[in-house]
Amino acid sequence: MIFPPELLTIMRKCDYIAVLTGAGTSAESGVPTFRDAQTGLWAKYDPQELATPEAFTHNPQLVWDWYAWRRELVAESAPNPGHFALADMASHPARFTLITQNVDGLHQQAGNDGVLELHGSIRRIRCSQDDRIVTEWSGDPRCPDCGGWLRPDVVWFGENLPADALQFASQAARGCDIFLTIGTSGLVQPAASLPLIAAEKGAVTVEINVEDTPLSRFMDFTLHGKSGEVLPELVTAVWGNDSA
Ligand code: OAD
């Protein structure tokens, strides 16, 4: 891909890069994006109806089974070149913050530290009653302490985001020089407002996505392509071949 030369110069000189990623970043790792995750057995369910506290109250086993299936997909997946390029990017500017809506843990697996997980982690399980993180149970997914139903430690529609992660993410959006928005449809708040906050505070904004999104028209630069291809090329174009 030919990148705008001014973008390369800005990235090379900037002190603080913040990045927001979404499900598109993991698509090339074989983790279906949230809105594509309805295949096979699960085709008849709407994720917006499964990923809610109401669905869980109504049918905890169904919601548990859906997440167990997604957890298996995640366990079988591995970071792709886009994840590794972001781990590499982190070492270049003086400051770097990676904010993700993904619950798959692939950024950490690729080597990024201090990832702000706005929507939690599918790899962690907690008790729905006492909020304790649980690592082992036998038989039914029940808390070994209180017997409450276990649930994934993710944020469902209608639930609050982890306050600390959201506060740090918002600080990053306000303080960064460049804000990259990668592989997200920009439809889910409050994550989708972070690029706009960054733009308002004067950061240079860049979107990487296979298609336009509602955020595209607010961006200084939109790069169309797969993040697993665009990101490694971008890192090499900005910082040279040692980075690839
Ligand atoms: P979506 O599934 O809504 O959007 C994925 C985005 O990635 C779309 O804009 C695609 O065009 C783009 N995309 C797909 N493949 C790509 C690739 N290889 N490279 C670059 N872009 C690609 O996922 P999110 O925006 O992450 O929340 O969804 C946000 C949140 O809504 C999720 O975290 C989840 C959800 O429903 C909760 O579970 C709370």
Side-chain angles (χ1 to χ4, degrees), residues 33-68:
T33 61
F34 204 73
R35 278 158 246 293
D36 287 342
Q38 299 318 101
T39 52
L41 279 178
W42 295 101
K44 62 182 164 164
Y45 295 101
D46 177 354
Q48 309 243 11
E49 283 166 18
L50 289 172
T52 64
E54 293 76 21
F56 185 71
T57 305
H58 180 66
N59 194 341
Q61 187 71 53
L62 177 75
V63 174
W64 175 266
D65 288 346
W66 187 60
Y67 275 96

Side-chain angles (χ1 to χ4, degrees), residues 21-29 32-37 47-48 51 66-67 70 80 100-103 118-119 154-159 161 182-189 191 207-214 223-230:
T21 64
T25 319
S26 294
E28 290 153 89
S29 293
T33 61
F34 204 73
R35 278 158 246 293
D36 287 342
Q48 309 243 11
W66 187 60
Y67 275 96
R70 293 183 67 208
N80 66 58
T100 190
Q101 299 164 89
N102 298 345
V103 296
L118 292 183
H119 293 166
V154 299
V155 176
W156 284 330
F157 292 101
E159 291 185 322
L161 274 64
I182 309 172
T184 176
S185 56
L187 294 172
V188 175
Q189 297 294 351
E207 179 178 65
I208 300 175
N209 200 303
V210 290
E211 60 188 27
D212 273 340
T213 73
L223 306 175
H224 281 147
K226 294 182 176 179
S227 54
E229 293 168 8
V230 176

Side-chain angles (χ1 to χ4, degrees), residues 2-238:
I2 309 285
F3 297 103
E6 52 295 18
L7 172 61
L8 302 183
T9 308
I10 294 167
M11 288 191 73
R12 207 169 289 132
K13 289 188 177 161
C14 85
D15 288 326
Y16 187 1
I17 299 180
V19 179
L20 171 69
T21 64
T25 319
S26 294
E28 290 153 89
S29 293
V31 181
T33 61
F34 204 73
R35 278 158 246 293
D36 287 342
Q38 299 318 101
T39 52
L41 279 178
W42 295 101
K44 62 182 164 164
Y45 295 101
D46 177 354
Q48 309 243 11
E49 283 166 18
L50 289 172
T52 64
E54 293 76 21
F56 185 71
T57 305
H58 180 66
N59 194 341
Q61 187 71 53
L62 177 75
V63 174
W64 175 266
D65 288 346
W66 187 60
Y67 275 96
W69 171 71
R70 293 183 67 208
R71 203 160 49 242
E72 258 173 56
L73 291 178
V74 165
E76 288 163 5
S77 68
N80 66 58
H83 292 109
F84 289 114
L86 287 175
D88 193 344
M89 188 186 288
S91 66
H92 290 284
R95 291 184 70 192
F96 182 87
T97 302
L98 179 50
I99 307 157
T100 190
Q101 299 164 89
N102 298 345
V103 296
D104 54 35
L106 292 178
H107 287 304
Q108 293 89 328
Q109 214 174 310
N112 279 109
D113 297 323
V115 179
L116 300 176
E117 291 183 312
L118 292 183
H119 293 166
S121 172
I122 200 170
R123 296 173 190 246
R124 263 191 324 267
I125 302 295
R126 73 167 204 259
C127 173
S128 62
Q129 295 303 308
D130 59 24
D131 281 341
R132 203 182 293 254
I133 299 295
V134 173
T135 52
E136 281 179 25
W137 61 93
S138 55
D140 284 347
R142 295 278 190 171
C143 177
D145 290 317
C146 74
W149 270 93
L150 298 180
R151 58 163 285 175
D153 192 20
V154 299
V155 176
W156 284 330
F157 292 101
E159 291 185 322
N160 289 329
L161 274 64
D164 283 2
L166 185 57
Q167 194 192 336
F168 288 136
S170 150
Q171 276 166 6
R174 282 167 212 283
C176 68
D177 307 313
I178 298 187
F179 194 96
L180 297 172
T181 304
I182 309 172
T184 176
S185 56
L187 294 172
V188 175
Q189 297 294 351
S193 65
L194 293 169
L196 305 179
I197 293 173
E200 201 180 288
K201 291 287 173 185
V204 172
T205 50
V206 184
E207 179 178 65
I208 300 175
N209 200 303
V210 290
E211 60 188 27
D212 273 340
T213 73
L215 295 172
S216 304
R217 66 194 180 93
F218 302 103
M219 299 288 123
D220 295 309
F221 299 93
T222 49
L223 306 175
H224 281 147
K226 294 182 176 179
S227 54
E229 293 168 8
V230 176
L231 277 169
E233 286 181 34
L234 180 64
V235 169
T236 301
V238 176

